[in-house]
């Protein structure tokens, strides 16, 4: 086989079922419990927010934070897993109500930068060079409250400080068009990769593409993936699914649109995704609110299963028949070739 995929998952993907309209439906579990479940579920790597690693991070000294991080690394490796990436969770703090890097308040912007530099130190301790930035509150609830040009300058200033903090780290920005903000900065892969050129080291600024976020932006996920790959900037993928334009659903991979799932896996496979930087396939999905604690990881285990089944479909697809139909411009027949292949 041409490609061995490595699968990744985050502690936040074992959620307690809370939504905007109601409280938790499942008990909270600690990291040790989650790591054991990840291993059992067939995962290779773990994605972390800084405060998934060190709870109450803002109340602890820099030395204490790194000491706790070293302990967590041991737990992760003790399960035979490794750390894929670390991301600063900038959207929970009272200091980031108006956004972090793009806040209109200078002290709050500084807080966001300091916390991000600490995330890089944590990542070093955890043995990864991949820093993910999901720019949750970098955008506006009221369009007139910020300037886009000014915000891009702030974002570049923050990115430059991170790039200067350690020579090997890579920043993978995760685009999303909205939620929690009304209108987010850097909503698509195109925005992210254009932004990379506003920084001091564009080669170290790339992207993480999430299926649901592409659907929310009205874009085709496979094309977003391939756009980033074509520029050697696809450093992680968050595969999941999304049923149209509504709140961010984080459904299991393939649960809404199997054909898009096929196209996503086909793009990854055709471009040998993962051969550079050992990039992982992550499933950023969630259990349904109705799921019990015994089913809490099924969404991700099923996503992985669907991915691997789809990989078989991709590898068994008659590419030469498809090429012949492309050559004769019989796209109607090409369409049906894909459909019948998927129906099996
Ligand atoms: C939220 C994002 C988030 C990132 C990590 O929509 O997908 O979960 O992947 O910060
Ligand atoms: Mg994500």
């Amino acid at each position: 086989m041409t490609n061995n995929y490595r699968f990744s998952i985050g502690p936040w993907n074992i959620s307690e079922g809370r939504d905007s309209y109601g409280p938790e439906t499942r008990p909270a579990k600690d990291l040790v419990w989650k790591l054991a479940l990840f291993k059992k579920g067939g995962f290779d790597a773990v994605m972390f927010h800084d405060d998934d690693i060190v709870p109450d991070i803002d109340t602890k000294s820099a030395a204490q934070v790194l000491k706790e991080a070293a302990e967590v690394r041991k737990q992760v490796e003790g399960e035979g897993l490794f750390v894929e990436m670390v991301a600063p969770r900038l959207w929970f703090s009272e200091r980031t109500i108006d956004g972090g890097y793009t806040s209109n308040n200078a002290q709050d912007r500084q807080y966001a930068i300091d916390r991000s530099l600490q995330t890089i130190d944590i990542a070093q301790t955890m043995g990864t060079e991949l820093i993910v930035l999901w720019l949750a509150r970098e955008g506006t609830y009221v369009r007139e409250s910020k300037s886009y040009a000014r915000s891009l300058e702030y974002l570049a200033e923050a990115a430059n400080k991170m790039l200067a903090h350690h020579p090997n780290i890579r920043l993978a920005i995760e685009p999303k068009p909205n939620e929690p903000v009304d209108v987010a900065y850097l909503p698509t892969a195109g925005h992210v990769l254009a932004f990379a050129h506003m920084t001091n080291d564009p080669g170290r600024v790339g992207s993480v593409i999430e299926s649901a976020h592409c659907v929310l932006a009205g874009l085709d996920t496979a094309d977003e993936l391939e756009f980033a790959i074509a520029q050697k900037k696809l450093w992680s993928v968050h595969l999941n699914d999304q049923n149209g334009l509504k709140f961010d659903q984080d459904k299991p991979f393939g649960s809404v649109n199997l054909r898009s799932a096929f196209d996503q896996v086909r793009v990854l496979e055709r471009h040998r995704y993962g051969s550079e930087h050992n990039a992982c396939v992550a499933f950023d999905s969630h259990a349904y609110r109705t799921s019990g604690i015994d089913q809490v990881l099924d969404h991700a285990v099923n996503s992985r299963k669907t991915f691997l089944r789809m990989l078989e479909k991709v590898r068994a697809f008659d590419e030469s028949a498809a090429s012949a139909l492309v050559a004769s411009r019989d796209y109607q027949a090409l369409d049906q070739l894909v459909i019948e292949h998927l129906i099996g």
Side-chain angles (χ1 to χ4, degrees):
M1 288 287 104
T2 50
N3 207 350
N4 291 317
Y5 292 90
R6 304 195 303 171
F7 298 99
S8 176
I9 182 94
W12 71 90
N13 298 119
I14 296 192
S15 61
E16 286 84 54
R18 183 192 172 91
D19 68 16
S20 313
Y21 301 93
E24 289 74 7
T25 58
R26 291 180 289 271
K29 292 291 185 180
D30 66 16
L31 187 61
V32 172
W33 189 91
K34 291 180 181 184
L35 293 175
L37 194 62
F38 293 160
K39 186 66 190 173
K40 200 166 147 246
F43 289 88
D44 307 289
V46 190
M47 313 185 274
F48 282 106
H49 295 116
D50 54 355
D51 58 356
D52 291 321
I53 299 171
V54 184
D56 302 319
I57 194 163
D58 283 333
T59 66
K60 295 174 181 168
S61 70
Q64 179 65 21
V65 165
L66 295 186
K67 186 168 166 265
E68 289 185 32
E71 286 303 312
V72 174
R73 179 177 180 171
K74 274 191 218 146
Q75 291 169 357
V76 171
E77 292 179 348
E79 281 293 349
L81 299 161
F82 67 92
V83 177
E84 182 202 2
M85 63 82 159
V86 186
R89 195 191 318 253
L90 287 178
W91 50 97
F92 269 30
S93 166
E94 60 189 26
R95 310 285 306 267
T96 57
I97 289 169
D98 188 31
Y101 314 121
T102 66
S103 168
N104 281 326
N105 178 295
Q107 283 89 42
D108 291 351
R109 290 198 299 277
Q110 190 59 48
Y111 165 81
I113 291 172
D114 291 343
R115 183 135 168 208
S116 305
L117 300 184
Q118 181 178 59
T119 297
I120 293 169
D121 298 338
I122 294 173
Q124 289 299 303
T125 305
M126 304 298 285
T128 181
E129 288 168 348
L130 189 64
I131 307 296
V132 165
L133 302 176
W134 170 47
L135 303 175
R137 296 192 194 279
E138 314 303 345
T140 55
Y141 300 91
V142 176
R143 177 40 70 232
E144 297 80 9
S145 65
K146 292 180 185 175
S147 144
Y148 206 152
R150 183 107 194 270
S151 295
L152 288 171
E153 281 169 24
Y154 286 150
L155 285 170
E157 187 188 322
N160 287 339
K161 288 195 171 135
M162 289 183 246
L163 293 166
H165 192 68
H166 192 282
N168 295 343
I169 59 120
R170 289 174 293 126
L171 303 178
I173 300 177
E174 182 176 345
K176 183 178 180 184
N178 59 277
E179 200 196 25
V181 288
D182 175 25
V183 189
Y185 297 135
L186 312 190
T188 69
H191 290 82
V192 166
L193 299 191
F195 168 74
H197 291 278
M198 295 181 75
T199 69
N200 291 339
D201 196 353
R204 288 199 287 141
V205 181
S207 65
V208 178
I209 301 298
E210 175 160 325
S211 321
H213 298 179
C214 301
V215 175
L216 287 172
L219 296 171
D220 181 86
T221 305
D223 272 3
E224 284 284 274
L225 294 171
E226 198 162 11
F227 177 82
I229 287 173
Q231 306 189 45
K232 302 198 182 314
K233 291 296 188 85
L234 187 67
W235 296 342
S236 186
V237 291
H238 287 184
L239 301 186
N240 58 13
D241 217 343
Q242 169 75 26
N243 190 15
L245 296 178
K246 52 185 82 165
F247 62 93
D248 186 10
Q249 295 182 299
D250 293 337
K251 296 185 96 170
F253 179 58
S255 79
V256 177
N257 189 336
L258 279 177
R259 185 167 182 174
S260 173
F262 171 79
D263 289 329
Q264 290 171 55
V265 178
R266 185 163 174 260
V267 159
L268 297 178
E269 179 68 1
R270 275 155 75 101
H271 291 280
R272 307 258 189 284
Y273 171 80
S275 49
E276 208 195 2
H277 302 307
N278 280 323
C280 291
V281 171
F283 298 109
D284 198 357
S285 49
H286 283 277
Y288 295 116
R289 194 161 192 270
T290 45
S291 298
I293 191 69
D294 293 340
Q295 294 90 44
V296 72
L297 193 66
D298 288 2
H299 64 93
V301 172
N302 291 344
S303 291
R304 182 177 172 278
K305 198 186 285 177
T306 304
F307 181 95
L308 290 170
R309 290 287 302 275
M310 213 42 108
L311 190 58
E312 286 169 18
K313 281 277 173 199
V314 165
R315 287 173 175 168
F317 185 57
D318 192 342
E319 293 287 355
S320 47
S323 298
L325 293 171
V326 170
S328 61
R329 211 197 270 171
D330 192 349
Y331 300 158
Q332 189 72 65
L334 177 64
D335 196 29
Q336 193 61 15
L337 183 73
V338 175
I339 292 169
E340 291 195 8
H341 182 65
L342 286 176
I343 290 173

